[in-house]
Amino acid sequence: MAIEKCESCGKPFKIIEFKLEMPGTKEKENINCPYCNYTVQRTSNGYFITNELTEEQQKVYLKDN
């Protein structure tokens, strides 16, 4: 799990990459902001799931960054 900041709305969110064992099949996969639905693409052998942060997680992230 990682935390990324949306390029559009600026809110931090959780991102989890699920890698599949399919060598040689890297494709661009969507990463959707759970707040504003802004989409970016990243190359992966699997797929991405995103979730909102709790208020406490947002506070910790913003404090550290």
Side-chain angles (χ1 to χ4, degrees), residues 14 17 19 26-27 29 33 35-36 39 41 45-46 49 51 59 61:
K14 289 188 265 186
E17 180 179 8
K19 294 185 179 186
K26 286 193 174 194
E27 295 183 16
E29 300 294 333
C33 173
Y35 300 102
C36 70
T39 303
Q41 291 188 329
N45 269 356
I49 293 180
N51 291 308
K59 287 178 187 175
Y61 175 82

Side-chain angles (χ1 to χ4, degrees), residues 6 18 40:
C6 178
F18 290 91
V40 295

Side-chain angles (χ1 to χ4, degrees), residues 22-46:
M22 299 172 8
T25 59
K26 286 193 174 194
E27 295 183 16
K28 289 190 176 193
E29 300 294 333
N30 290 342
I31 299 173
N32 300 314
C33 173
Y35 300 102
C36 70
N37 210 33
Y38 180 77
T39 303
V40 295
Q41 291 188 329
R42 188 173 298 158
T43 304
S44 175
N45 269 356

Side-chain angles (χ1 to χ4, degrees), residues 6-23:
C6 178
E7 295 174 18
S8 179
C9 70
K11 291 186 179 182
F13 60 92
K14 289 188 265 186
I15 180 170
I16 302 169
E17 180 179 8
F18 290 91
K19 294 185 179 186
L20 303 174
E21 294 190 28
M22 299 172 8

Side-chain angles (χ1 to χ4, degrees), residues 60-65:
V60 170
Y61 175 82
L62 294 172
K63 179 183 167 190
D64 293 343
N65 294 298

